[in-house]
Amino acid sequence: ALLPLAIISLLSIYQVKSQLQKQTLVELRQNCQIQAMVIFEHLLVLENDLQSVGWLWKQSRVNDLDGGCDNFSKRIESHFRAISIFNRKTPPNILFGRSDILLQKLPELTENLAPGKTNIITRSSKTEVFDIFLIRLLDSENPEAGVLIGEVNPGFIFGEKLLDLLPTATRIALLGRGQQVVFSTFSPETTFSGLAKSGLGQKHSGDFEMVSDLQKNIFSYLSIFLKGNFSGSPLIVVLGKPRQQVFKPVKSFLTLSSLVFIATLLLIILFSVKFIQKSLVPLEKLQEGTKQIVKRNFSHQVEVSGQDEFSDLAGAFNLMSTELQRQFKVLLSRSEIDRVVLSSLERDEIVRTVINRIGDFLSCESVGLSFIDEGDDTRYQTFVGSGQETIKELNLSLKERDLAALHSCKVFMLFQDSKKFPPFFFEFGVKTEDQVLVFPVLTSGRLVAAMFFIYRDFDRYFQEELVLAQQMVGQVGVALSNSLLLTDLQEMSWGSLMALARSVDAKSPWTAGHSTRVTHLALEIARGMGVDGQEYDNLHRAALLHDLGKIGIPHELLEKPGKLDSEEVSLIETHPEIGARILEPIEAFQEFIPAIYEHHERFDGKGYPAGKKGEEICLKARIIAVADVYDACAYDRPYRPGMGHNKVVEIIREGAGSDFDPEVVAAFLKVDFLQLQLKNSSMGML
């Protein structure tokens, strides 16, 4: 009941304020015209008086100003503070009054005077009102005769008659060149400069709003047309009125509206008390139910007795909460499945999430996912389960006709007759009374898996379940495709790294298998130190490629049987830097390039190429350094035979703290070299 009244009141207030503002602007514009006409008329009177004085001067009757014509003399004295004649050849001649014009300013003021026109000059003064000068040629036909300069009495232009014409609470300002205030009834702090955006000084007339005298005012302005009679400073009349004064009638309207509101509210309360008392208990129950919904307690039910509209509302509320509970559970489950399916690249995590959560939004009894391999094996890895039981892993026996049916299936297959069930259905727990919905899972047009949804009564959920199941199968297909792609990429990446490592080792028969053996030992040391995850993988890659820079070392230098001279040693010592430079353009290798560059640094800082020491050397390089020295010492080289295992271990133990990181050496001493040799032997690396 209050809403329409409030809307009408607000619209009325808006309309009243709009009309008041429009009326105020019309009033200000009209008064601008009136004030401009009055000021213009006063300027014409002043011009006429100045012409009369000039005529008297030319007629040699200027003495009339001293009493020859009382009325005219009084008039001139009330209109001007002083009148003088200036000729560049003679000193200024003051006809009456006392002029404040400086002599050096006279040539500037009397320049560019047009014959027959009066020039208006405004100049700041010590008072609040600018000085105004009217200047014209004494004889328009003879400019050399001099000029008349009249210093205007501001009281004549801005007298009480002018101010009496202003409406209530309206103030006036007269602006000159550059929007300087010539005269103003506003506070002295009020300025009008910088209002070019509102058109002031550019347009003939206009309106704007501005803060003045600590309150917002509505302004209207009008430029006085002077070109017909006058030249010089342009004059602009500005009138302003406080917004508070303009919208004063709105306060009365608001008071009346408030009274109407209060009366209406009391009336509504009077008629509503009885109804509220009757409805309070059901409303409280519904309110409590709403709070429970907000807290996501969708199992809460509202109990309202009776046969009125509240009982119907409670029934609808309970139905809504039940549906919200189901839908919210569906959204959470699908969100979790979507997150894993679209982000995870681990097949086992995808299978586990899909089977455990799919029962939250599908009405099936259980779900099966069978992976179809391209090999000749007829038994395929299958996972079966539901949200309430542990996932079972088994191998299904699929016959050729079963595979053919899956390959030929375009969208889905529905089995509702147990007589037509393929035999493998019973292997994962399908009963004769069940119905089975089967979807092929395709990636790039290739059959990679099949999903089975087992129902007790599929017809009941046909429309909704079919769409949801089909969407889930599509997401599983995308996830499996990503997983397979990642596996292929990883295999290709490791194959490329292995090929690079073997190409380096193949450069000399003395180093055959060196990179692979160093890698195996480095990984064993890393496991002993607790290195895992991405750091472990980066160490694996760095160890394989740690001697990649030897590609740039001459073959004969690597196989030289004798001792190397200093120049040859320097050349050999460039291979870490060469290896790092070779891999530098590959963005994916940036994390382990430092290990390749630093694997010949020593813990005491006496290594190469940069002379780093201690923990300045990255951990991967410190691990590779130990593994590299062990393999280099344990196997034959062209310049010496290989050392025994125990001797090499002793060398590395003695080098702890100087050549090697003591923690890395401690992990090295715990390595099971028997198992490591068996691993290298199985790969042909001994």
Side-chain angles (χ1 to χ4, degrees):
L2 290 174
L3 183 60
L5 184 61
I7 294 174
I8 292 172
S9 299
L10 290 174
L11 290 175
S12 300
I13 292 171
Y14 174 78
Q15 186 67 19
V16 169
K17 291 182 71 174
S18 178
Q19 289 299 322
L20 286 173
Q21 183 157 356
K22 289 180 181 178
Q23 291 174 6
T24 301
L25 288 174
V26 170
E27 179 185 20
L28 289 174
R29 291 167 188 165
Q30 291 175 348
N31 280 279
C32 274
Q33 294 177 353
I34 293 172
Q35 297 294 329
M37 291 174 60
V38 170
I39 293 173
F40 184 71
E41 289 175 359
H42 286 181
L43 291 174
L44 290 177
V45 170
L46 292 170
E47 181 190 39
N48 186 54
D49 290 345
L50 197 61
Q51 286 178 329
S52 299
V53 171
W55 182 82
L56 289 173
W57 172 263
K58 289 189 290 184
Q59 299 296 324
S60 300
R61 296 174 55 188
V62 73
N63 292 330
D64 290 351
L65 295 176
D66 295 328
C69 183
D70 292 339
N71 291 334
F72 181 70
S73 176
K74 291 179 180 180
R75 174 178 171 178
I76 294 298
E77 290 178 359
S78 65
H79 292 179
F80 293 92
R81 289 177 178 173
I83 297 178
S84 57
I85 295 177
F86 171 68
N87 188 308
R88 295 179 184 274
K89 299 179 180 179
T90 60
N93 187 359
I94 299 176
L95 302 184
F96 85 92
R98 181 178 179 181
S99 178
D100 293 331
I101 303 177
L102 298 176
L103 293 177
Q104 58 268 31
K105 289 286 186 179
L106 287 174
E108 178 184 341
L109 295 176
T110 57
E111 287 181 355
N112 302 322
L113 292 178
K117 286 193 176 185
T118 302
N119 199 1
I120 301 175
I121 300 295
T122 59
R123 189 187 66 173
S124 61
S125 66
K126 298 179 181 179
T127 64
E128 294 181 358
V129 182
F130 269 41
D131 291 333
I132 303 174
F133 298 94
L134 296 185
I135 305 173
R136 63 178 290 116
L137 293 173
L138 182 62
D139 187 347
S140 58
E141 295 179 358
N142 182 16
E144 298 298 327
V147 295
L148 276 168
I149 302 176
E151 185 176 348
V152 178
N153 181 8
F156 173 67
I157 299 179
F158 310 112
E160 293 183 359
K161 292 182 180 180
L162 182 73
L163 300 180
D164 289 342
L165 296 174
L166 295 175
T168 305
T170 303
R171 298 190 179 187
I172 184 172
L174 184 67
L175 308 182
R177 188 179 302 278
Q179 288 78 56
Q180 290 183 326
V181 179
V182 177
F183 169 79
S184 174
T185 60
F186 293 96
S187 63
E189 293 80 13
T190 303
T191 60
F192 297 91
S193 58
L195 291 174
K197 291 184 178 179
S198 64
L200 186 62
Q202 300 177 1
K203 297 181 181 179
H204 175 68
S205 62
D207 311 299
F208 61 92
E209 292 188 10
M210 187 181 74
V211 175
S212 174
D213 301 334
L214 302 180
Q215 58 183 335
K216 201 166 187 178
N217 289 260
I218 299 173
F219 290 90
S220 185
Y221 66 87
L222 177 70
S223 297
I224 302 176
F225 183 76
L226 301 173
K227 292 185 178 179
N229 299 75
F230 303 94
S231 62
S233 300
L235 297 177
I236 302 173
V237 178
V238 180
L239 295 184
K241 195 170 187 179
R243 284 179 61 90
Q244 184 179 0
Q245 187 70 25
V246 172
F247 297 132
K248 190 174 182 180
V250 178
K251 290 186 177 179
S252 302
F253 183 79
L254 287 173
T255 303
L256 180 62
S257 298
S258 301
L259 294 175
V260 173
F261 260 84
I262 294 172
T264 306
L265 180 61
L266 292 174
L267 187 62
I268 292 172
I269 292 174
L270 182 64
F271 282 102
S272 302
V273 167
K274 188 175 181 181
F275 177 77
I276 291 174
Q277 290 175 344
K278 179 182 176 182
S279 309
L280 188 59
V281 173
L283 285 174
E284 287 180 348
K285 291 183 177 180
L286 288 168
Q287 184 183 27
E288 179 61 27
T290 304
K291 291 180 180 178
Q292 294 298 323
I293 293 295
V294 171
K295 295 177 181 178
R296 298 183 180 180
N297 181 14
F298 300 116
S299 61
H300 181 79
Q301 297 288 297
V302 176
E303 296 181 3
V304 176
S305 59
Q307 300 296 325
D308 57 8
E309 60 274 12
F310 287 107
S311 62
D312 295 338
L313 182 59
F317 183 91
N318 292 334
L319 182 63
M320 177 195 69
S321 63
T322 302
E323 183 63 21
L324 281 175
Q325 182 179 17
R326 191 182 74 84
Q327 291 292 341
F328 193 75
K329 191 174 182 181
V330 167
L331 288 174
L332 285 177
S333 300
R334 289 203 59 184
S335 175
E336 176 65 18
I337 292 174
D338 289 348
R339 183 189 66 79
V340 174
V341 165
L342 297 177
S343 64
S344 177
L345 297 173
E346 297 294 333
R347 194 181 76 169
D348 291 345
E349 185 179 0
I350 295 170
V351 171
R352 184 175 62 255
T353 303
V354 169
I355 293 179
N356 283 338
R357 301 303 297 269
I358 204 168
D360 293 341
F361 63 92
L362 289 180
S363 303
C364 57
E365 298 296 322
S366 59
V367 180
L369 181 59
S370 181
F371 292 98
I372 310 298
D373 299 325
E374 293 294 336
D376 297 331
D377 192 1
T378 59
R379 298 190 66 81
Y380 300 97
Q381 187 180 24
T382 302
F383 299 88
V384 181
S386 64
Q388 292 77 30
E389 60 185 37
T390 305
I391 298 175
K392 298 177 183 178
E393 183 178 353
L394 47 92
N395 292 322
L396 288 184
S397 298
L398 300 182
K399 298 182 179 180
E400 291 186 6
R401 66 172 179 269
D402 300 328
L403 292 174
L406 288 172
H407 279 287
S408 62
C409 179
K410 300 299 183 184
V411 183
F412 69 92
M413 293 184 291
L414 179 61
F415 295 89
Q416 296 180 297
D417 186 355
S418 60
K419 296 179 181 179
K420 298 181 180 180
F421 284 176
F424 70 88
F425 274 13
F426 300 103
E427 294 185 39
F428 58 80
V430 177
K431 300 177 181 178
T432 55
E433 65 271 18
D434 291 339
Q435 299 168 336
V436 183
L437 184 63
V438 182
F439 284 91
V441 181
L442 304 174
T443 62
S444 302
R446 181 169 64 94
L447 180 68
V448 296
M451 286 195 72
F452 308 92
F453 301 89
I454 304 168
Y455 287 87
R456 291 284 185 265
D457 185 9
F458 180 72
D459 293 338
R460 181 180 173 186
Y461 313 104
F462 179 79
Q463 292 294 339
E464 185 176 357
E465 296 280 317
L466 186 62
V467 173
L468 292 175
Q470 192 169 2
Q471 291 174 351
M472 182 52 56
V473 170
Q475 290 175 321
V476 171
V478 171
L480 292 179
S481 177
N482 292 340
S483 179
L484 291 172
L485 180 59
L486 178 65
T487 301
D488 292 342
L489 287 174
Q490 287 178 338
E491 290 178 357
M492 183 167 41
S493 175
W494 284 112
S496 300
L497 292 176
M498 187 63 72
L500 276 173
R502 289 183 178 178
S503 67
V504 174
D505 292 351
K507 191 169 184 181
S508 170
W510 301 100
T511 58
H514 170 72
S515 297
T516 305
R517 291 193 301 271
V518 169
T519 299
H520 291 164
L521 179 54
L523 294 178
E524 289 296 326
I525 296 171
R527 276 194 288 269
M529 297 181 69
V531 177
D532 57 9
Q534 188 61 43
E535 282 297 300
Y536 185 84
D537 289 341
N538 286 335
L539 173 65
H540 193 170
R541 293 177 174 88
L544 279 173
L545 301 178
H546 75 282
D547 275 343
L548 179 62
K550 287 185 177 179
I551 291 176
I553 305 301
H555 176 74
E556 57 274 8
L557 190 59
L558 295 175
E559 294 194 348
K560 182 177 180 180
K563 186 177 180 181
L564 302 178
D565 59 31
S566 59
E567 184 177 349
E568 291 171 334
V569 169
S570 299
L571 185 59
I572 286 287
E573 289 180 353
T574 62
H575 79 272
E577 187 175 358
I578 294 173
R581 234 182 8 251
I582 291 172
L583 298 176
E584 188 176 11
I586 305 175
E587 183 66 27
F589 291 174
Q590 299 304 308
E591 292 185 4
F592 61 83
I593 287 177
I596 295 172
Y597 182 75
E598 299 171 2
H599 77 276
H600 277 295
E601 299 286 358
R602 286 178 43 164
F603 200 71
D604 59 5
K606 296 180 180 180
Y608 64 88
K612 292 185 178 181
K613 63 180 179 179
E615 294 187 359
E616 294 178 358
I617 309 167
C618 71
L619 178 60
K620 294 185 285 294
R622 284 178 267 155
I623 293 173
I624 294 172
V626 173
D628 187 31
V629 168
Y630 174 84
D631 193 80
C633 293
Y635 289 86
D636 294 341
R637 287 293 184 267
Y639 47 86
R640 59 151 177 81
M643 304 177 188
H645 168 75
N646 293 334
K647 184 176 181 180
V648 178
V649 170
E650 188 60 31
I651 291 173
I652 292 176
R653 181 186 285 112
E654 292 176 356
S658 57
D659 294 344
F660 312 112
D661 183 346
E663 292 184 10
V664 177
V665 172
F668 163 79
L669 295 175
K670 296 178 182 179
V671 172
D672 186 346
F673 280 91
L674 180 59
Q675 291 295 328
L676 184 63
Q677 286 179 350
L678 290 174
K679 183 176 182 180
N680 289 332
S681 178
S682 65
M683 299 182 66
M685 295 300 167
L686 290 179

